[in-house]
Amino acid sequence: MNTLLDPDLVEQRLRRTLRTVAGTVTEDQAFGAGRAPVVRRSHRGRWIGLGIVAVAVPVTLAAAAVVRQGPEYVDTIPPEQVVMSGSVDGSRYLLAETTRTSCGEPLTGVELIEERENLLGSEWNTTLYEYGDTIGLPCGHRIDPTRYLARPALYTDSGVAVGDSFVWVYAVHPDVTGVRITADDYSETLAVYPVDGAGFAPFEIPRDLREYTSELLIDGQVVPGSAETHRVPRDE
Amino acid sequence: MTTSAQDPGPDLEETYRQHRLTLLRLAYLMCGSHDASEDAVQAVFASAHERWDQVRDPLPYLKRAVVNQVKDGQRRRFRLLARPPERPAVDLPPEIDETWAELARLSWTQRAVVVLHYYEDLPLTEVAAVLGRPAATVRSDHRRALDHLRRALS
């Protein structure tokens, strides 16, 4: 039978753990060099310049509607900014070119917009995917793709829950033409959509998939060094 | 608190350079995600930029803003998921590793109480003020967190 730890020992251990873990966070290691951070930026209320196509209209993502005024509310998106749309277990989403700005400059990349998280009249709740290294600035951030453009095997990826599963978005070199996903009895090559000098490939992760390998392809050939195994972040 | 004409207050860029890492560490302990920490700190500075002339004592202000930003992200359930499990990029002693993993299993509020109390060394009454929760509730959060950790780490 285990004996409960003495409260003083727990407190000492907590202090030691918190200081040790905090000490592992350094500019170089955590947010700068090495493999680029997963570039995800949640977003509410900063997407501006929207025009014609309503995101949250439950009939069709291409239907025209005008909702509310002001950049912070779910409004409309010009159809030319919509990159693709899809659905996971009946939950629809789309990728659209971002119109966000940072430090007064336009950002590049795509927003993943889940329909049920962006209902008419609510605040925007979207996710931004960008390609390159994030450079933090006092007023926001900017993206530097230089290192990535020099090495086609580099990519950023991250996901968001959609429906009962996830949509995982790969931001890849502009020469990449596909992202191959393989698991034990599963294989799929994701389409790559070119936006702002990069490619973006959404992966609708099947509900029963727990682990898979991704590889970047250029004209059907695997980009050396691009293969990576991923575990799906399910709660259970 | 507002600055006076005689005291122009701290420079934002200098404050950013000086305290960014401190704030990233606090955010990381709160949420366990490098990306969410980065987002939170960036959002705090972007927001502070608009009202910087009113900020006299930047670090406490920024720390509180980071906590609120992380909390807000939790409340709004962004459901953004990084590669799990995000762990420190260095090997940690098993005891630290185990404790960190157990901290991640606490509710967000309990974890915030633990971080603010044991890392920031704030008394529980100040933790309550930062989190906007009644002091008695925070004492309860603290007790429950410790009870959980005592059991889990034994």
Side-chain angles (χ1 to χ4, degrees):
Chain A
M1 188 172 115
N2 288 337
T3 305
L4 289 182
L5 276 184
D6 181 271
D8 289 343
L9 287 178
V10 174
E11 294 190 353
Q12 288 172 21
R13 194 158 157 177
L14 277 175
R15 290 184 197 282
R16 197 162 53 243
T17 296
L18 291 168
R19 302 223 175 277
T20 303
V21 172
T24 68
V25 177
T26 65
E27 291 281 3
D28 289 343
Q29 162 258 311
F31 304 104
R35 192 174 185 284
V38 175
V39 180
R40 299 171 293 109
R41 296 185 192 284
S42 53
H43 160 61
R44 288 167 81 93
R46 292 184 208 154
W47 207 9
I48 57 176
L50 306 174
I52 300 171
V53 179
V55 174
V57 175
V59 285
T60 167
L61 292 169
V66 175
V67 193
R68 293 178 70 164
Q69 297 296 315
E72 68 269 35
Y73 297 108
V74 171
D75 196 356
T76 57
I77 301 173
E80 63 271 20
Q81 288 180 2
V82 176
V83 176
M84 59 79 67
S85 63
S87 72
V88 177
D89 293 329
S91 287
R92 299 194 308 170
Y93 72 92
L94 58 79
L95 287 186
E97 295 174 13
T98 188
T99 56
R100 290 195 222 186
T101 61
S102 182
C103 304
E105 297 294 324
L107 293 175
T108 58
V110 298
E111 304 277 350
L112 190 149
I113 307 162
E114 186 185 4
E115 185 176 83
R116 71 180 184 183
E117 292 289 321
N118 291 275
L119 299 176
L120 298 179
S122 63
E123 289 182 75
W124 287 107
N125 188 356
T126 70
T127 306
L128 172 63
Y129 298 89
E130 297 166 292
Y131 175 72
D133 287 311
T134 301
I135 310 296
L137 303 170
C139 55
H141 77 283
R142 68 178 175 83
I143 294 293
D144 180 3
T146 308
R147 194 168 63 92
Y148 280 64
L149 291 172
R151 287 188 56 198
L154 290 180
Y155 63 93
T156 61
D157 68 310
S158 178
V160 61
V162 175
D164 293 333
S165 192
F166 305 94
V167 173
W168 212 258
V169 178
Y170 290 82
V172 300
H173 191 279
D175 290 345
V176 170
T177 52
V179 178
R180 185 159 66 202
I181 305 292
T182 51
D184 288 342
D185 54 353
Y186 184 89
S187 180
E188 177 185 3
T189 298
L190 309 178
V192 176
Y193 300 89
V195 176
D196 291 333
F200 294 88
F203 174 34
E204 298 172 3
I205 301 180
R207 267 200 304 190
D208 57 351
L209 199 60
R210 292 290 178 272
E211 190 172 283
Y212 61 89
T213 299
S214 64
E215 299 167 299
L216 307 186
L217 305 176
I218 296 179
D219 298 329
Q221 301 298 310
V222 175
V223 178
S226 68
E228 193 162 348
T229 299
H230 309 264
R231 202 157 62 81
V232 181
R234 307 206 185 274
D235 290 337
E236 65 271 18
Chain B
M1 194 178 293
T2 57
T3 56
S4 66
Q6 290 76 28
D7 180 2
D11 177 73
L12 176 60
E13 291 201 19
E14 177 58 29
T15 303
Y16 179 80
R17 281 192 294 272
Q18 200 174 349
H19 297 309
R20 175 179 140 86
L21 184 56
T22 299
L23 297 169
L24 285 173
R25 286 173 169 168
L26 174 60
Y28 181 69
L29 293 177
M30 288 279 183
C31 67
S33 160
H34 288 128
D35 299 306
S37 307
E38 176 86 4
D39 282 351
V41 172
Q42 290 298 330
V44 162
F45 274 102
S47 173
H49 187 256
E50 298 162 5
R51 66 194 71 164
W52 195 245
D53 58 347
Q54 298 176 308
V55 176
R56 182 75 172 257
D57 193 6
L59 190 54
Y61 167 84
L62 292 168
K63 281 185 176 179
R64 186 176 180 132
V66 164
V67 171
N68 285 326
Q69 188 70 31
V70 175
K71 180 172 70 173
D72 203 31
Q74 297 288 326
R75 190 175 66 236
R76 293 189 320 223
R77 298 178 67 210
F78 280 159
R79 301 181 304 155
L80 301 176
L81 300 167
R83 289 162 178 273
E86 270 198 48
R87 299 181 52 198
V90 297
D91 289 333
L92 296 172
E95 179 186 292
I96 301 290
D97 219 15
E98 182 188 19
T99 309
W100 177 240
E102 288 303 329
L103 276 169
R105 294 192 175 95
L106 297 176
S107 70
W108 185 83
T109 306
Q110 290 177 9
R111 178 175 177 157
V113 169
V114 166
V115 171
L116 291 172
H117 188 52
Y118 292 106
Y119 179 69
E120 290 291 328
D121 286 326
L122 295 182
L124 291 179
T125 50
E126 287 187 36
V127 173
V130 170
L131 296 179
R133 292 169 70 79
T137 308
V138 166
R139 285 196 296 273
S140 173
D141 293 332
H142 175 246
R143 187 176 60 250
R144 289 180 183 189
L146 283 193
D147 285 348
H148 168 84
L149 292 168
R150 284 183 71 195
R151 279 193 297 272
L153 299 174
S154 293

